[in-house]
Structures are given as C-alpha cells and as structure tokens.
C-alpha cells in the first residue's frame, strides 16, 4: 500500500507515539488563552458559548439580500456575512459599461448609501455582528455601513464586525485589486487609524488565506503567505506612525477548512503559535491581545462538486468539524449547491443547521482543544509550524511580501500546487467522490437560484435618480477634498465619509482615488 501524504506533502506514519512529539510539549502548548495560544485564544473557548455562526450571503438587489438576511437571522444565525457583486468589489457603479452582465451575480450590488440602507433595513446594527467580504474598496463600504448605523441612532463604538480589507492576497490569488500596492497599504493603515478613533470594536482587516487555498495553496502555503501579508500590514501601520498595541488587537484572519481534518486542526494550532511569537518577539507587542490570532473559517468551496451535490452536505460537515476542533472564532458553512449556483433558501438553511448540530447535538463544546496531546496532531502541528516558518523566510528573501508578490513568487508556488492537485484528480490518485469514483449513471435534476437580469437596468435607473436628486456641487466639492487628501498625507477616510454622506457613489469615490493613485498593472512576470 502506498504511504499517504498530507495536503502539504508530509508523509503520514501509520502509527504515531511519544517519540514523534519530542521536547517540552507543555511549553509549545501552553494553557488555553495563554501564550503561545496553541490551544486556543480564550481560556474557555466554546464551553460557555459557541463560535459565531455566520452565513455568507448576498445576491441581486439590496432588497433581495435584506430578505435573505432576515431569513437567516430568524433561522438562528448569529452574524451576517455580506457578499458583494464583482462591480462593487472592483469599485465600479452598476451603470458603468465594464459592469455589464455582472450586476448582482456573485453578490449584492451596492452603489451608494441608498443601497446600504436597503441592505440593512430593519436589522439592528447594534445587535448583529457583520462581516463584509470587500477588499480594495473596503473602507468605502465600511463608511457606508457606519453612516447607515448613525441613521439608526447607533454610534460607532457600538458597531462590531469585520471588513476583509486584505488587498495583498488579491495580487496573489484573486485579482480584485484597484490601486498599486503602496497606496493600497496606505489605505489599510488609514483604516486602522480611523477605526481606532471612530469604530473601536471593529476588526479592521481579515488577513485572508482562504482565497489562496481556493486557488490551490497547500495548508502550509495558505498560512505562510497569509502571515507574511500580516507582517507587511503591521509594518505599514508602524511606518504610518501607529503604535503596535493600538491596532494589533483588532487584526483578524480568514482561513479555509478542508476535508483533511487532522491536518486542518494542526494547521490552525500552528498558525496561532507562530503569529503569537511574531507579534511578541519581532514586533515587541506588549498587550497579550496583540499576540492572539483570531480567525474566521469558511468551509472549502473548491472541494464542492456539481456532481451528486448532496454529497457536499457530508463534506461541509467534516470541514466544519475541523474548523471547530481547530479553534475558530466564527464559521461559515457552504451550502451544498454552491458548485452549481447561488444557494437556494433551503440550502442556506441546511448549511446553518450543520453548524447548529455541531454546536448543540455533539459534545464538541464540552472541553477546550480536544486534540491536545494527540501524538499525530501534535507531531503534525510541529511539522507544519516548521514548514510555515521556512516558507515565510523564503518570502522575505525577496525583501518584503510586496516585493515577493511583484516577483510572482507566491503566485508561482500556488500554481505549482494547483497543477499537482489537478493531475492527482485526473489520474485517480486523489479520490473525489462522485467525480472520479463512485459515479452514478444519471444526475438528478436540480433547479438553481437564478438572478433576474433586469436587476442591472433597475440599478442603473436608481443611480440616475440619485444623481438627479442630490446636490451635485456639494458632491463635486467633497470628491475634490478626497483627491486632495489622497495626494497628501491626511487620513482619506474622513473626506471619503463626507462624500458618501452626500450620496457620492462607490464608483465615483473609487474613481477619485484612481485619479490620484493610479491603477495596478501586473508585470509580465505574472
């Protein structure tokens, strides 16, 4: 029998024992809620309350997505997670020619404060935690959220949630960047400073390995490249004059959970240990909260199959189990039909029920870090941690994470892994149930959720009405003030907030910054 390899390439032993976990294991573990946080960032973890159950949702118009959010809240979800359509992610209005055919398709279309009002209509923003998957225009959408909260009478210090705001991984794996890296990092640092003063409970960035994993990164690559980007963000904030303990406690991370449960648990534990050491020893953070790697997890969309889609229910349950055993702070479980189309209402509810079964019908929440001391998990945690450290070192041999990105290093490494995985699936070496083994002769019919193409015209009509009814001169002056701030050193979020309050659109706001900062153009090395 061929010896199995982990996703990261390690050989599995058929039996593990004490000799596989040498040295002072207790020191590498620590206590739950204490440095180096291998066993979790909080002493009690889920024994007093479970993780935050989020469901990633958004499609079509703001009104349609608002209806889905109300359904999810009624079903028991404890946090919202907003998906934006591609034009919004790229900072374009729905009536821009480049947005044609994409409005409302992969998420909700948000063009102005009016759409944000519809999106959160009758949702009390002081009672719900909201995560927004938005990167290059992350600060724009956050400010729109804050403005809508103010209209509800909710001050900034009562808002809680996260913006992804991680543009570096866009250059590596996803591509929804707008500006070059240097001004993008400045915008991130400005957001850190703004939130410290205005929205202190907000997580200002979710440094993301998820999308790199979806592109084919191994668990080691996922964590190493994510933490390297995290180091780059910390350096940018320090260079902007911020003190490390003023912003580091609000940093958060975003990882994937695959079906390879043991390695995923070890990956999460290793990531916490390494980040704690980096923040304490390399950046000199004094606040223990600055050492904590707090993270959100999403089950692996890339492992969902369009063939026999109901099998995805089992995959998602196993992936969610790995995230919980690994100590995630919040979790999104994918719907079983997402390899085909946007989730139906029933599929989204079943995904949430998966989390609720894990939280309330199993004994996972009875104890902290159930795998602590497991020979195989502790050995894999040490092995993965050593490989992550080595790969982070290779990133910084280029000078910085940005230098490595511009050299195409991370992208090439991920593409190599993705190609290997594809070859293994094609050859049958890697089994995918329903795809290359255990096939059925005929797939059962499935009726996917469809987005009405009329949405694009409706959004354009709303934009025309908005531009007609607003004070055009005031908007123009506010955008000029934004350009002036972008050309200087002032924090751009304050003039940006004023422009959005006056009903400048997302596209107009991003265009003002494009005019000053330019657009990012990948080099031929990509």
């Amino acid at each position: 029998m061929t010896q199995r390899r982990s996703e990261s390439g390690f050989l599995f032993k058929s039996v593990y024992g004490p000799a596989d976990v040498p040295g002072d294991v207790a020191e590498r573990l620590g206590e739950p809620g204490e440095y180096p946080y291998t066993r979790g960032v909080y002493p009690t973890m889920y024994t007093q309350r479970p993780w935050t159950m989020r469901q990633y949702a958004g499609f079509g118009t703001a009104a349609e997505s608002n209806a889905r959010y109300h359904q999810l809240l009624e079903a028991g979800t404890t946090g919202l997670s907003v998906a934006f359509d591609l034009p919004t992610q790229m900072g374009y209005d729905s009536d821009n020619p480049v947005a044609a055919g994409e409005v409302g398709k992969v998420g909700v279309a948000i063009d102005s404060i009016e759409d944000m009002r519809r999106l959160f209509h009758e949702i009390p923003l002081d009672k719900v935690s909201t995560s927004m998957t938005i990167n290059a225009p992350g600060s724009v959408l956050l400010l729109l959220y804050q403005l809508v909260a103010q209209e509800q009478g909710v001050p900034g210090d009562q808002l809680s949630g996260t913006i992804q705001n991680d543009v570096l991984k866009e250059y590596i794996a996803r591509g929804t960047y707008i500006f070059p890296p240097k001004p993008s990092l400045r915008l991130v640092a400005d957001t850190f400073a703004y939130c410290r003063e205005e929205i202190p409970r907000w997580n200002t960035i979710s440094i993301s390995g998820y999308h790199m994993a979806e592109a084919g990164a191994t668990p080691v690559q996922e964590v190493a490249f994510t933490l390297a980007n995290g180091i780059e963000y910390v350096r940018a904030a320090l260079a902007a004059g911020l003190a490390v303990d003023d912003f580091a406690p609000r940093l958060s991370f975003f990882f994937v959970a695959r079906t390879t449960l043991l390695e995923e648990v070890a990956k999460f534990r290793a990531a916490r240990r390494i980040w704690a050491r980096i923040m304490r020893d390399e950046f000199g953070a004094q606040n223990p909260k600055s050492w904590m790697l707090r993270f959100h997890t999403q089950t692996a969309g890339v492992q969902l199959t369009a063939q026999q889609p109901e099998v995805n229910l089992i995959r998602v349950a196993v992936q969610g189990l790995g995230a919980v055993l690994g100590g995630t702070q919040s979790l999104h479980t994918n719907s079983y039909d997402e390899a085909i189309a946007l989730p139906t209402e029933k599929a989204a509810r079943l995904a949430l029920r998966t989390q609720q079964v894990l939280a309330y019908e199993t004994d996972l929440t009875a104890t902290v870090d159930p795998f602590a001391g497991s020979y195989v998990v502790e050995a894999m945690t040490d092995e993965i941690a050593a490989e992550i450290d080595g790969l982070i070192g290779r990133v910084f041999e280029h000078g910085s994470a940005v230098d490595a990105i511009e050299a195409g290093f991370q992208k090439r490494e991920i593409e190599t892994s993705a190609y290997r995985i594809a070859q293994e699936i094609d050859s049958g070496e890697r089994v995918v149930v329903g795809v290359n083994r255990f096939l059925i002769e005929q797939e059962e019919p499935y009726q996917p959720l469809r987005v009405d193409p009329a949405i694009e015209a409706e959004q354009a009509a709303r934009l025309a009405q908005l531009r007609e009814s607003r004070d055009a001169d005031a908007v123009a002056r506010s955008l000029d003030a934004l350009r002036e701030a972008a050309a200087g050193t002032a924090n751009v979020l304050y003039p940006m907030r004023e422009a959005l309050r006056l009903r400048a659109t997302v596209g107009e706001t991003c265009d003002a910054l494009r005019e000053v900062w330019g657009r990012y153009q990948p080099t031929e090395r990509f």
Side-chain angles (χ1 to χ4, degrees):
M1 181 180 290
T2 304
Q3 193 172 4
R4 285 276 302 273
R5 286 189 178 271
S6 72
E7 292 288 294
S8 296
F10 309 126
L11 284 171
F12 271 106
K13 299 176 67 172
S14 57
V15 177
Y16 286 80
D20 297 299
V21 192
D24 189 350
V25 179
E27 183 178 340
R28 295 198 299 278
L29 282 174
E31 293 297 321
E34 295 181 8
Y35 184 91
Y37 301 105
T38 307
R39 302 197 62 190
V41 292
Y42 302 121
T44 57
M45 288 304 290
Y46 313 133
T47 59
Q48 294 185 358
R49 66 183 180 93
W51 57 93
T52 299
M53 299 179 193
R54 298 191 186 279
Q55 286 307 112
Y56 186 50
F59 63 95
T61 65
E64 289 175 296
S65 292
N66 174 263
R68 174 63 61 86
Y69 294 159
H70 280 285
Q71 292 163 0
L72 288 169
L73 290 168
E74 289 167 7
T77 191
T78 53
L80 297 176
S81 186
V82 183
F84 297 95
D85 72 355
L86 192 57
T88 305
Q89 293 181 46
M90 298 293 290
Y92 292 113
D93 290 331
S94 295
D95 60 355
N96 191 303
V98 302
E102 293 293 339
V103 176
K105 288 292 179 67
V106 299
V108 61
I110 299 294
D111 291 316
S112 72
I113 191 171
E114 294 184 357
D115 286 327
M116 192 63 91
R117 288 188 192 117
R118 295 186 190 97
L119 186 64
F120 290 101
H121 179 63
E122 294 187 346
I123 294 176
L125 299 186
D126 57 340
K127 301 289 193 302
V128 68
S129 170
T130 302
S131 174
M132 293 189 280
T133 304
I134 192 76
N135 292 284
S139 56
V140 180
L141 275 299
L142 173 61
L143 292 171
L144 289 174
Y145 186 86
Q146 182 191 16
L147 288 167
V148 169
Q150 288 176 347
E151 292 176 352
Q152 290 188 4
V154 179
D157 61 6
Q158 292 185 27
L159 295 177
S160 64
T162 305
I163 45 170
Q164 196 161 99
N165 199 29
D166 174 12
V167 74
L168 291 182
K169 65 96 173 48
E170 298 294 330
Y171 305 116
I172 295 172
R174 196 160 172 269
T176 61
Y177 44 71
I178 299 177
F179 318 113
K182 188 174 181 180
S184 294
L185 286 172
R186 180 227 172 137
L187 188 55
V188 170
D190 280 358
T191 305
F192 289 176
Y194 177 87
C195 288
R196 180 172 177 265
E197 297 299 325
E198 303 284 340
I199 319 176
R201 295 172 56 197
W202 198 266
N203 297 318
T204 50
I205 192 168
S206 178
I207 307 164
S208 176
Y210 180 87
H211 304 95
M212 291 185 274
E214 293 284 281
T218 68
V220 164
Q221 291 171 338
E222 174 196 356
V223 175
F225 295 153
T226 301
L227 299 191
N229 287 348
I231 291 169
E232 197 73 19
Y233 290 124
V234 173
R235 288 178 176 176
L238 294 174
L242 301 178
V244 65
D245 285 319
D246 284 345
F247 66 86
R250 302 316 307 175
L251 302 179
S252 65
F253 292 80
F254 176 25
F255 295 116
V256 76
R258 302 169 180 83
T259 51
T260 44
L261 188 147
L262 295 177
E263 186 173 10
E264 292 300 284
V265 172
K267 174 194 78 176
F268 294 132
R269 299 167 91 249
R272 279 194 295 269
R273 181 189 299 174
I274 293 170
W275 186 248
R277 188 196 69 231
I278 288 169
M279 293 307 296
R280 189 188 73 169
D281 298 347
E282 296 186 23
F283 288 111
Q286 300 296 310
N287 185 349
K289 290 184 178 179
S290 298
W291 309 337
M292 296 179 183
L293 183 142
R294 297 169 301 110
F295 62 94
H296 169 71
T297 308
Q298 182 172 337
T299 55
V302 73
Q303 292 186 319
L304 302 181
T305 63
Q307 300 91 332
Q308 301 180 47
E310 292 84 358
V311 177
N312 294 327
L313 288 164
I314 296 92
R315 292 189 178 101
V316 169
V318 172
Q319 293 161 356
L321 178 63
V324 172
L325 289 170
T328 192
Q329 275 59 72
S330 67
L331 177 62
H332 163 79
T333 36
N334 289 325
S335 300
Y336 75 91
D337 54 356
E338 287 188 51
I340 303 171
L342 290 168
T344 61
E345 179 184 345
K346 179 180 179 180
R349 185 172 61 249
L350 283 171
L352 176 60
R353 295 291 183 252
T354 302
Q355 294 202 51
Q356 291 166 335
V357 168
L358 291 175
Y360 300 113
E361 291 193 18
T362 75
D363 53 7
L364 288 173
T365 59
T367 188
V368 176
D369 192 22
F371 272 136
S374 160
Y375 297 135
V376 60
V377 169
E378 297 300 356
M380 290 186 74
T381 299
D382 291 345
E383 194 166 14
I384 288 172
E387 290 294 319
I388 291 169
D389 278 332
L391 190 51
I392 290 174
R394 290 177 62 198
V395 170
F396 287 104
E397 286 175 2
H398 292 81
S400 70
V402 170
D403 292 332
I405 288 168
E406 293 181 338
F409 172 70
Q410 298 97 320
K411 191 170 186 288
R412 284 194 302 273
E413 293 288 304
I414 292 170
E415 287 172 348
T416 299
S417 298
Y419 181 62
R420 173 179 57 81
I421 292 168
Q423 286 183 310
E424 291 172 357
I425 293 172
D426 290 344
S427 69
E429 179 184 351
R430 178 184 294 259
V431 175
V432 181
V433 174
V435 175
N436 60 10
R437 285 185 68 180
F438 313 113
L439 282 64
I440 56 177
E441 291 185 5
Q442 185 174 355
E443 294 286 340
E444 296 178 6
Y446 172 79
Q447 184 61 45
L449 178 69
R450 300 293 186 191
V451 175
D452 188 346
I455 285 171
E456 191 169 322
E458 293 170 5
Q459 284 292 116
R462 276 193 285 269
L463 278 166
Q465 183 179 21
L466 176 143
R467 293 189 179 107
E468 181 68 26
S469 62
R470 71 188 182 184
D471 186 335
D473 290 339
V475 171
R477 287 193 298 271
S478 68
L479 292 172
D480 284 341
L482 176 59
R483 293 185 189 94
E484 183 179 351
T489 59
N491 191 315
V492 298
L493 270 73
Y494 290 95
M496 186 188 294
R497 183 180 66 189
E498 179 61 12
L500 294 167
R501 186 187 67 79
L502 292 168
R503 297 194 292 168
T505 68
V506 170
E508 290 165 346
T509 305
C510 291
D511 283 344
L513 296 177
R514 284 184 180 99
E515 291 172 23
V516 179
W517 291 342
R519 304 167 189 257
Y520 180 68
Q521 298 295 332
T523 65
E524 292 183 358
R525 285 174 291 188
F526 279 78

